[in-house]
Amino acid sequence: MSSPVSPLRILPAEADASSSLTAPESATFADTLRSALDDVGQMQTQAEGKVAGVLSGAGTDVHSALIAVEKADLSFQLMMQVRNKIVSAYQEISRMQF
């Protein structure tokens, strides 16, 4: 029986070429951020749908709903940390004297 949860990919060397984590060479930083935000929003929407399925009694598994909620939460926390690092870098650059 296969697990519905995909394994975490920590090392970039483990990612295959067809993965959505790899950006094309022509993608800008803004495009990459926009794509990441879209992915976070999509995870949030999926989690909301699964929770709604559990609450309505549509036969959605509680465990899969909980996993979807946790994935959405972790991706949101990661995006917030990335945002904090970007803001920190901007503030550092703005304090530089030329």
Side-chain angles (χ1 to χ4, degrees):
M1 185 161 125
S2 66
S3 173
V5 178
S6 63
L8 291 176
R9 295 187 182 239
I10 297 173
L11 300 175
E14 292 180 5
D16 55 358
S18 63
S19 175
S20 64
L21 297 176
T22 58
E25 293 294 324
S26 63
T28 65
F29 183 69
D31 291 338
T32 304
L33 280 179
R34 196 170 295 114
S35 173
L37 283 172
D38 291 342
D39 290 345
V40 170
Q42 187 178 28
M43 285 185 175
Q44 179 68 32
T45 303
Q46 289 173 352
E48 288 173 359
K50 289 199 179 208
V51 168
V54 168
L55 293 177
S56 68
T60 304
D61 184 23
V62 174
H63 298 291
S64 65
L66 182 61
I67 290 169
V69 168
E70 286 299 317
K71 279 184 178 180
D73 181 51
L74 285 174
S75 63
F76 180 75
Q77 288 179 23
L78 176 64
M79 186 54 62
M80 289 302 296
Q81 290 301 319
V82 169
R83 180 197 66 95
N84 291 343
K85 288 292 183 179
I86 292 170
V87 169
S88 175
Y90 175 79
Q91 290 172 343
E92 182 80 20
I93 290 170
S94 68
R95 283 193 295 263
M96 287 183 180
Q97 294 186 8
F98 296 98

